[in-house]
């Protein structure tokens, strides 16, 4: 196995450390790095969590010994003691939340709930804060289910917007780690609304929040049934695409993949190719280079060679290369969909720039026999609305000339200029807002 196309080192810094574990598990399963290196990376991650028992197990595997360092033993005792203390501090509110009759007294009015809790149950801000600390500690211990439940309840009572936002990030991470993709998507959308509307101390803080959101969203979009469409909806928005181009160009791999396997988004695809063209010098990836070969350079031999690299990149990517498991992922591996559509992209573009194409040449490129290629091409012409016909006598495909109207070209250029102007003005206004506030 190779780590040539592995993006883990670029992605991991943008994730909560608990979200890095699934990536390391994937790399370990694929055998892309020495086992010892993966185990050491896991222990390093665990050092700043409360998952001491897990760290002990990995230490035993790494050093092939039942003995563990004394500091791990002491750390475990410290974690257990701290957990008990936080449990006691949060107990009044936890007891209330576990009582179905008592919970029925809660209303949609947050201030009413706070007064009721204080007057009837002597539960105030101190106990509410204790619930947050208890939930956070549960998360650090690896109890994601308990953490998600308590963070949800905490946000309903919290009056501190920054603390509530932190709890929402924690809830999102917990739902991702439990693979609750529908709930995780709801939390992701809630976070996006806050990030896009919140007043940040600087524009860069807002950009960084968008970058975090996009990295976390990869878990959801490549597991959720509708994720390959939703990732285009998010990543292709001007503000998010701008953040990708300036701070996280490696995310272009995932947007490019989504465009290739999702035929329904082709109207936006044309603009995305311009982004690929712009970023050719600053970021190289087999998947983005494949698109550049087909749609920018018209290098079809190069595109065929890139397809092999694309396959390797997909198989060794934690988000794109997961094994197909019934009930969790689509029955057709993403790799197969990608390769089929990639061949389609090559064929469609090749046909549009050549007036006459030999059927035998296309059959060879498509790895089909003559009859299969002919049937495949006939169907493609019908479904893709290509202006073409098959000349059976000469064994060629004849493409009808398709000259773009000069006025249509002018309109396209005008639209493109207008779009770039709008984007520039929007960015200037966005940067000017904090200065105005001061």
């Amino acid at each position: 196995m190779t780590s040539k196309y592995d993006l883990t080192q670029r992605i991991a810094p943008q994730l909560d450390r608990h979200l890095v574990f699934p990536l390391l598990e994937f790399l370990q399963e694929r055998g892309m790095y020495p086992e010892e290196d993966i185990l050491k990376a896991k222990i390093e991650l665990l050092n700043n969590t409360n998952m001491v028992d897990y760290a002990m197990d990995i230490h035993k595997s790494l050093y092939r010994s039942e003995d563990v360092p004394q500091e791990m033993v002491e750390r475990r005792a410290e974690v257990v003691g701290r957990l008990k203390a936080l449990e006691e501090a949060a107990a009044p509110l936890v007891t209330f939340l576990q009582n179905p009759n008592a919970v029925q007294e809660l209303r949609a009015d947050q201030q009413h709930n706070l007064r009721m809790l204080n007057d009837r149950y002597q539960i105030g801000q101190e106990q509410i804060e204790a619930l947050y600390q208890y939930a956070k500690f549960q998360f650090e211990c690896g109890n994601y289910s308990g953490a998600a439940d308590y963070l949800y309840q905490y946000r309903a009572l919290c009056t501190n917007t920054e603390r509530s936002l932190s709890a929402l990030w924690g809830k999102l991470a917990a739902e991702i780690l439990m693979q609750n993709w529908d709930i995780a998507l709801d939390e992701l959308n809630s976070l996006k609304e806050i990030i896009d509307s919140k007043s940040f101390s600087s524009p860069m803080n807002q950009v960084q929040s968008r970058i975090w959101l996009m990295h976390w969203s990869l878990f959801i979009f490549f597991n959720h049934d509708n994720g390959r469409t939703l990732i285009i909806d998010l990543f292709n928005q001007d503000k998010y695409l701008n953040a990708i181009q300036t701070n996280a160009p490696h995310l272009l791999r995932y947007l490019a993949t989504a465009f290739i396997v999702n035929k329904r988004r082709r109207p936006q695809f044309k603009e995305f190719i311009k982004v690929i063209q712009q970023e050719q010098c600053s970021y190289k990836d087999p998947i983005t280079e494949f698109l550049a070969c087909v749609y920018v350079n018209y290098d079809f031999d190069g595109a065929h060679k890139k397809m092999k690299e694309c396959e390797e990149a997909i198989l060794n990517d934690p988000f794109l290369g997961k094994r197909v498991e019934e009930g969790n992922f689509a029955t057709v591996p993403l790799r197969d969909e990608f390769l089929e559509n990639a061949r389609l992209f090559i064929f469609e573009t090749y046909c549009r720039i050549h007036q006459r194409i030999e059927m035998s040449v296309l059959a060879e490129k498509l790895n089909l026999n003559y009859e299969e290629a002919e049937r495949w091409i006939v169907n493609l012409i019908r479904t893709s609305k290509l202006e073409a016909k098959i000349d059976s006598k000469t064994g060629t495909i004849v493409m009808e000339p398709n000259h773009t109207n000069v006025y249509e070209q002018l309109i396209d250029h005008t639209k493109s200029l207008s779009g770039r102007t709008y984007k520039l003005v929007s960015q200037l206004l966005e940067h000017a807002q904090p200065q105005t506030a001061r």
Side-chain angles (χ1 to χ4, degrees):
M1 288 297 171
T2 177
S3 58
K4 183 178 179 181
Y5 304 119
D6 178 32
L7 296 178
T8 305
Q9 292 186 17
R10 293 192 181 202
I11 291 172
Q14 309 298 338
L15 302 175
D16 179 276
R17 64 179 55 248
H18 289 254
L19 294 175
V20 180
F21 285 110
L23 307 190
L24 293 180
E25 292 286 347
F26 176 87
L27 298 179
Q28 186 175 10
E29 181 184 313
R30 297 291 297 171
M32 293 170 62
Y33 297 93
E35 182 86 1
E36 183 178 339
D37 291 350
I38 296 291
L39 293 175
K40 285 180 178 178
K42 285 184 177 181
I43 288 180
E44 186 177 345
L45 271 178
L46 289 166
N47 283 339
N48 292 309
T49 73
N50 297 325
M51 300 165 68
V52 188
D53 288 341
Y54 185 28
M56 286 179 170
D57 289 341
I58 293 175
H59 189 278
K60 292 174 184 177
S61 298
L62 178 60
Y63 297 103
R64 296 175 176 82
S65 170
E66 289 299 309
D67 297 328
V68 295
Q70 182 60 30
E71 59 261 28
M72 280 191 172
V73 177
E74 294 173 357
R75 171 70 174 151
R76 188 181 189 283
E78 178 187 332
V79 168
V80 171
R82 176 66 175 155
L83 182 61
K84 288 181 178 178
L86 288 171
E87 189 175 10
E88 290 176 7
L93 186 48
V94 170
T95 301
F96 170 86
L97 294 171
Q98 291 175 345
N99 183 339
N101 294 327
V103 170
Q104 287 182 358
E105 298 182 48
L106 294 174
R107 301 286 181 268
D109 185 348
Q110 187 184 61
Q111 292 303 317
H112 163 83
N113 294 336
L114 293 174
R115 286 194 301 271
M116 181 271 292
L117 286 171
N118 190 61
D119 296 344
R120 298 192 58 183
Y121 297 93
Q122 291 72 56
I123 295 173
Q125 289 298 327
E126 185 178 344
Q127 287 74 30
I128 293 173
E129 174 63 20
L131 181 66
Y132 172 81
Q133 297 296 339
Y134 184 50
K136 189 172 183 293
F137 204 84
Q138 289 275 12
F139 180 89
E140 293 298 338
C141 290
N143 179 10
Y144 305 123
S145 178
D149 289 342
Y150 291 137
L151 287 171
Y152 173 79
Q153 300 290 356
Y154 170 77
R155 292 193 70 240
L157 299 170
C158 175
T159 56
N160 184 316
T161 55
E162 290 300 323
R163 191 67 115 194
S164 179
L165 181 59
S166 174
L168 185 55
W169 280 105
K171 176 96 165 34
L172 172 60
E175 300 296 353
I176 289 172
L177 290 162
M178 291 188 291
Q179 299 184 22
N180 294 332
W181 305 122
D182 286 334
I183 300 174
L185 180 60
D186 289 339
E187 306 299 4
L188 182 79
N189 289 332
S190 296
L191 263 173
K192 180 184 181 298
E193 288 180 18
I194 294 172
I195 290 170
D196 289 346
S197 61
K198 184 177 179 292
S199 177
F200 285 81
S201 57
S202 76
M204 282 310 301
N205 289 343
Q206 189 173 37
V207 169
Q208 182 59 60
S209 293
R210 288 184 175 130
I211 290 170
W212 286 334
L213 190 77
M214 286 188 284
H215 281 85
W216 291 36
S217 74
L218 295 175
F219 291 95
I220 302 168
F221 290 146
F222 288 102
N223 283 289
H224 193 279
D225 289 342
N226 199 32
R228 299 175 196 178
T229 297
L230 296 173
I231 190 174
I232 296 174
D233 292 337
L234 177 63
F235 283 30
N236 207 48
Q237 291 182 30
D238 283 348
K239 291 179 180 179
Y240 286 83
L241 190 55
N242 184 52
I244 290 174
Q245 290 182 261
T246 54
N247 295 80
H250 54 274
L251 291 180
L252 289 172
R253 169 187 289 187
Y254 302 102
L255 183 54
T257 300
F259 268 117
I260 290 172
V261 299
N262 193 329
K263 299 177 186 176
R264 290 176 297 176
R265 293 288 165 159
R266 296 296 284 277
Q268 298 166 309
F269 185 62
K270 186 178 178 182
E271 290 300 315
F272 179 65
I273 292 301
K274 294 177 183 177
V275 173
I276 294 296
Q277 188 173 9
Q278 292 168 6
E279 300 300 324
Q280 277 188 103
C281 297
S282 60
Y283 177 71
K284 291 188 182 297
D285 182 278
I287 297 172
T288 59
E289 286 183 304
F290 166 79
L291 289 177
C293 283
V294 176
Y295 291 100
V296 179
N297 305 320
Y298 302 115
D299 177 8
F300 300 105
D301 289 335
H304 276 287
K305 293 176 183 177
K306 283 296 171 189
M307 280 179 65
K308 187 65 179 175
E309 295 180 24
C310 287
E311 184 177 9
E312 185 179 336
I314 289 170
L315 285 173
N316 293 323
D317 187 287
F319 302 104
L320 307 178
K322 297 182 296 297
R323 288 182 175 178
V324 179
E325 298 175 13
E326 188 176 352
N328 289 331
F329 306 112
T331 54
V332 179
L334 185 143
R335 176 193 64 176
D336 294 353
E337 289 185 67
F338 180 95
L339 294 176
E340 174 64 20
N341 285 352
R343 280 191 286 267
L344 192 63
F345 280 23
I346 292 172
F347 176 76
E348 288 180 340
T349 309
Y350 189 81
C351 285
R352 287 194 169 98
I353 62 174
H354 290 82
Q355 189 172 359
R356 185 177 291 271
I357 307 157
E358 290 186 21
M359 184 75 73
S360 58
V361 173
L362 279 174
E364 183 180 349
K365 287 183 179 294
L366 296 169
N367 196 27
L368 300 171
N369 63 42
Y370 191 94
E371 289 74 18
E372 289 173 337
E374 188 172 30
R375 286 195 299 270
W376 190 84
I377 292 166
V378 167
N379 184 59
L380 184 65
I381 290 172
R382 286 174 181 164
T383 57
S384 298
K385 299 179 181 177
L386 289 174
E387 297 293 332
K389 61 183 179 181
I390 295 176
D391 187 337
S392 300
K393 290 182 180 179
T394 60
T396 58
I397 303 169
V398 181
M399 306 304 299
E400 299 292 340
N402 185 13
H403 302 295
T404 306
N405 185 293
V406 66
Y407 296 108
E408 291 179 1
Q409 292 183 31
L410 181 60
I411 290 169
D412 277 348
H413 288 306
T414 305
K415 283 182 178 178
S416 177
L417 179 61
S418 176
R420 289 197 296 271
T421 304
Y422 174 78
K423 188 184 296 186
L424 177 61
V425 171
S426 297
Q427 290 173 8
L428 288 171
L429 289 174
E430 188 174 287
H431 284 273
Q433 283 175 358
Q435 298 177 7
T436 304
R438 288 198 293 270

